[in-house]
Amino acid sequence: MPVIDKEHAVHVSTEKLIRVTRGGAKFELDVNLKNDSNRNLVSAENCFLSYHMSGLEGKYNKFEHPRFNIELENGQSGVAKIIDFAPLEKGRYNLQLDIVIEGVEWYSACGWEAQCVELIVEQDGIVKNPNVEYWVKHQAEVDYKLNEKLKE
């Protein structure tokens, strides 16, 4: 990945493909980061990992997604975890990883070339009504947390 300046010298590596069986399913992605920049990439300084998603069939395009903590001072390497939900519709999607400093900049807008990951959703989710989509995602998160507690 070409780096345009020392402020944006962050290197990313991760899987190239995520596959989920049903729309709305939870997915997790470990993102390896190496911070060679002259900045600290820490959530306390409003710096986060995020991603943009577009449908490869042209149906879906969303610029911003949730923020995920990065805790890397300059010179450090580490792993950030993205945990989110796939779109409800079956299809192929492109996730463009990006770093954001809230209220200041998106790294991709400064010429930083982020890694892309393909997400394949094999079947439509149960709910097609966008008014219900939030509830389904929220309920899935509650169920996931409950299952994690039961494992303890």
Side-chain angles (χ1 to χ4, degrees), residues 1 5 11 18 22 26 29 37-38 48 60 75 78 82 85 88 91 93 96 113 121 131 151:
M1 158 188 347
D5 59 43
H11 307 280
I18 304 169
R22 186 169 298 282
K26 178 175 261 186
L29 178 67
S37 75
N38 57 10
F48 301 96
Y60 185 93
I82 290 177
F85 298 93
L88 291 172
Y93 300 87
Q96 177 192 2
E113 290 186 35
V121 177
N131 296 324
K151 288 180 187 176

Side-chain angles (χ1 to χ4, degrees), residues 6 9 13 18 22 35 37 44 47 49 58 75 82 89-90 100 102-103 106 108 117 120-121:
K6 190 64 176 163
S13 64
I18 304 169
R22 186 169 298 282
N35 182 8
S37 75
C47 184
L49 177 67
I82 290 177
E89 287 189 29
K90 173 183 174 178
V100 59
E102 293 292 352
W106 286 90
S108 63
V117 177
I120 297 176
V121 177

Side-chain angles (χ1 to χ4, degrees), residues 113-127:
E113 290 186 35
Q115 181 170 336
C116 292
V117 177
E118 184 176 358
L119 170 66
I120 297 176
V121 177
E122 295 176 344
Q123 298 177 21
D124 284 340
I126 297 169
V127 178

